[in-house]
Amino acid sequence: NFSQVTEFILLGLSNTRELQVLFFTIFFLAYAMVLLGNLLIIVTVRTDPKLSSPMYFLLCNLSFIDICCTSVTVPRMLVDLLSQRKAIAFENCIAQLFFLHFAGASEMFLLTVMAYDRYSAICKPLHYTAIMNHRVCWVLVCACWAGGFLHSIIQTLLTIQLPFCGPNTINSYFCDVPPVIRLACTDIYVTEWLMVSNSGLICLFCFLLLVTSYMFILVTIRTRFTEGHWKALSTCASHGMVVTLFFVPCIFIYLRPFSTFPFDKHICVIYTVFSPVMNPLIYTLRNKEVKASMWKL
């Protein structure tokens, strides 16, 4: 009720027409890879009874979240790259912000659960079937979605209570908390730190949990040089690549007061576009069981 702004203008990644066409081609191909690759993983895991272990169940959910997370930002960006005026309605901007943080936080929690799954399988193999049974997997996945919703609704409520009455230009290709709240016509110092303590600490906490689990796995593998453990190490290495690609940019963007840098929007491309592209590539090219099931399918 305090806002007079009805729409925001997105500046996008570039104002040069040639670069916009180049970016459209790159991101269109990347989005197509995200959809096709992750859908192929979902169909493969759901149709092959051999891929019924908790690891593949979690991988299937990760693929679904990747599709959701990318679909929040990339289709809109592709349209804007071919448009002269890149405007987004206030309500649509808030909706994009909500669903981006909903899917993004859920993915953070799910990656942490996947690391716990690998830790249980490698460090406690005799108890693994009891620790990660089918019911536990469903509970953990539902908890990831619930945690993502709680995080996102807090971010959204903190944003919509701000008055927007003047500037409406966002130096990015999508609506996110840092650039949006800086357009508010009020002091946002308290709001900034509340959001940093929410988004930033969640990123850092999940990342530290992941690093800790990998440390335990490496200590365990160092004393057991069997073929199965080397296979597990390879799986964890690919998982670590995804984690680094996803968490490091998020920590840089959200774990600081929301002073903006010109290159922030380019860093956001890493976790909104390229990280979801890497997931199907890493989890299929480095996994013989998944590749065999895909060829069979």
Side-chain angles (χ1 to χ4, degrees):
N1 292 335
F2 298 99
S3 297
Q4 300 175 5
V5 173
T6 59
E7 66 178 13
F8 292 106
I9 305 299
L10 301 172
L11 296 183
L13 293 173
S14 174
N15 293 324
T16 306
R17 187 60 183 173
E18 291 76 11
L19 283 178
Q20 288 179 347
V21 174
L22 176 62
F23 287 149
F24 176 86
T25 304
I26 293 173
F27 294 133
F28 178 80
L29 294 175
Y31 186 54
M33 290 177 62
V34 170
L35 293 181
L36 295 176
N38 286 293
L39 283 174
L40 182 59
I41 290 177
I42 292 173
V43 173
T44 301
V45 172
R46 297 293 296 175
T47 56
D48 193 340
K50 295 180 180 179
L51 304 179
S52 59
S53 66
M55 182 179 72
Y56 297 115
F57 174 78
L58 297 175
L59 176 60
C60 183
N61 282 273
L62 178 64
S63 296
F64 177 72
I65 292 180
D66 276 337
I67 293 174
C68 295
C69 190
T70 311
S71 298
V72 173
T73 58
V74 176
R76 174 80 202 193
M77 177 177 61
L78 293 175
V79 173
D80 287 342
L81 285 171
L82 300 180
S83 304
Q84 293 294 329
R85 189 171 183 270
K86 304 171 178 59
I88 182 171
F90 181 86
E91 296 80 7
N92 295 340
C93 181
I94 298 300
Q96 188 181 55
L97 184 152
F98 170 80
F99 286 109
L100 176 66
H101 280 266
F102 184 19
S106 299
E107 181 165 355
M108 289 184 186
F109 297 138
L110 184 61
L111 287 170
T112 307
V113 170
M114 292 177 72
Y116 174 71
D117 172 70
R118 292 298 86 207
Y119 163 78
S120 302
I122 297 171
C123 299
K124 299 183 179 181
L126 298 179
H127 300 89
Y128 177 69
T129 55
I131 295 174
M132 294 296 295
N133 56 53
H134 188 69
R135 179 175 175 274
V136 171
C137 289
W138 272 107
V139 170
L140 290 174
V141 169
C142 291
C144 292
W145 283 103
F149 177 81
L150 180 62
H151 159 77
S152 183
I153 199 66
I154 292 174
Q155 297 287 89
T156 306
L157 291 176
L158 287 173
T159 302
I160 62 176
Q161 56 86 28
L162 296 172
F164 297 92
C165 55
N168 68 335
T169 302
I170 299 175
N171 186 21
S172 184
Y173 60 92
F174 68 101
C175 289
D176 198 6
V177 173
V180 169
I181 70 168
R182 294 193 66 82
L183 301 177
C185 304
T186 186
D187 182 19
I188 59 171
Y189 179 80
V190 176
T191 305
E192 278 185 335
W193 283 105
L194 286 174
M195 291 186 171
V196 167
S197 63
N198 186 357
S199 295
L201 290 181
I202 286 177
C203 296
L204 183 61
F205 180 69
C206 291
F207 184 69
L208 291 178
L209 284 178
L210 288 163
V211 172
T212 303
S213 68
Y214 292 147
M215 289 176 61
F216 278 110
I217 290 172
L218 290 174
V219 170
T220 301
I221 291 178
R222 192 176 67 173
T223 59
R224 306 174 188 175
F225 294 99
T226 64
E227 180 181 354
H229 283 86
W230 280 117
K231 179 182 177 182
L233 179 60
S234 176
T235 302
C236 291
S238 61
H239 190 183
M241 293 172 61
V242 177
V243 165
T244 303
L245 198 63
F246 183 73
F247 275 93
V248 172
C250 289
I251 291 174
F252 175 79
I253 294 295
Y254 297 111
L255 194 62
R256 59 183 170 90
F258 295 150
S259 56
T260 57
F261 298 106
F263 52 82
D264 279 357
K265 58 185 177 182
H266 299 98
I267 293 177
C268 293
V269 173
I270 298 176
Y271 64 85
T272 58
V273 181
F274 293 121
S275 179
V277 170
M278 293 300 295
N279 283 346
L281 294 176
I282 289 175
Y283 283 107
T284 55
L285 295 179
R286 297 180 59 86
N287 192 307
K288 294 181 180 180
E289 293 178 345
V290 175
K291 285 194 294 184
S293 297
M294 284 184 175
W295 281 112
K296 182 180 178 181
L297 180 66

